[in-house]
Amino acid sequence: MGLIRSHRLQLTRRQFLQISGLSGVSFLLGGCGTPSFEDLVGKLSEPLNQRVEALIFNPQKPVPEFSPSQIQPEALIVNTFRATPIIDQQKYRLIVDGEVNNPLSLSMKEIQTLPLTSMIIRHVCVEGWAAIVQWGGIRMQEIIALAQPKANVKYAYFKSADGYYESWDIASVLHPQTLLAYQKNGEPLPVDNGAPLRLASPIKLGYKQSKWVTQITLTNYLSPFKGYWEDQGYEWFAGL
Ligand SMILES: Nc1nc2c(c(=O)[nH]1)N[C@H]1C(S)=C(S)[C@@H](COP(=O)(O)O)O[C@H]1N2
Ligand SMILES: [Mo]
């Protein structure tokens, strides 16, 4: 099933062309110049591999969400292993690479043309606090689908601007409520909470939710460096 034909991702051909047109260099397909629009659209209608495709087109069951009146605006405690990094939002690019056919390099402007998803979920930190938060952003599965994952993808690595790093199983990444968020409680995401982009998902503990994400690398193996806290003994899957 092709992405464009199915329309299940709510990503129109026009939106895709907008994005690809704006970031031509990142779409180099064979290293011989900017590909034509026909090449790019052709790529998008190639079938995805079975497992990734199944996860995208047969979405996993959503976790029940909270109502707006249950949001706890003061409860989310900033947790940062290091200082908040300084990121120039104009120069910022989200890189998506690894086992993909269409590596991506997207500006915030490009990311914000993709469909906005909002959810109210509980953030749970192992340090003994939790907060009900509304997050707005783009579904990870939309970004991953745009990058055209290869047949062998099993994990995603997330690199952050402060040196934090994380790895997730691909099923959790492709869960319909796993977002790359740029809004918190209806406002632009504050820098201390991970602007311009952070992970937000109701199915993982707080330390899996990388802030200041700059690079997503899809792989078929789990590196011995699994994550900042995991490498100090915390559990890797960390499901909720
Ligand atoms: N880049 C980065 N992401 C991170 C962390 C961090 O130190 N650096 N801390 C994690 C932990 S342990 C938690 S609980 C949440 C806290 O998110 P918040 O600071 O927005 O409340 O961020 C997670 N993501
Ligand atoms: Mo945490």
Side-chain angles (χ1 to χ4, degrees), residues 61-154:
K61 203 166 165 266
V63 174
E65 296 184 12
F66 295 85
S67 66
S69 64
Q70 291 174 294
I71 294 171
Q72 300 167 309
E74 309 301 328
L76 189 71
I77 300 169
V78 169
N79 180 298
T80 302
F81 87 109
R82 221 178 244 176
T84 292
I86 294 162
I87 299 174
D88 181 341
Q89 298 235 9
Q90 299 306 309
K91 293 203 186 111
Y92 172 86
R93 292 292 182 278
L94 174 70
I95 304 294
V96 185
D97 61 7
E99 298 293 313
V100 298
N101 289 318
N102 282 329
L104 305 172
S105 169
L106 303 171
S107 68
M108 281 311 293
K109 208 177 146 201
E110 291 162 342
I111 286 165
Q112 286 167 348
T113 66
L114 297 168
L116 172 66
T117 298
S118 172
M119 65 182 181
I120 302 173
I121 61 155
R122 179 179 273 130
H123 177 101
V124 180
C125 176
V126 289
E127 289 180 317
W129 57 271
I132 296 172
V133 186
Q134 179 177 31
W135 301 108
I138 159 120
R139 286 197 167 104
M140 275 295 322
Q141 58 168 238
E142 308 233 16
I143 292 279
I144 301 296
L146 262 185
Q148 282 286 287
K150 290 184 184 169
N152 53 0
V153 170
K154 292 196 183 71

Side-chain angles (χ1 to χ4, degrees), residues 84-85 87 89 92 181-182 188-198 211-213:
T84 292
I87 299 174
Q89 298 235 9
Y92 172 86
Y182 53 84
L189 183 65
V191 173
D192 285 341
N193 297 115
L197 279 180
R198 70 164 298 151
K211 304 191 284 187
W212 311 294
V213 174

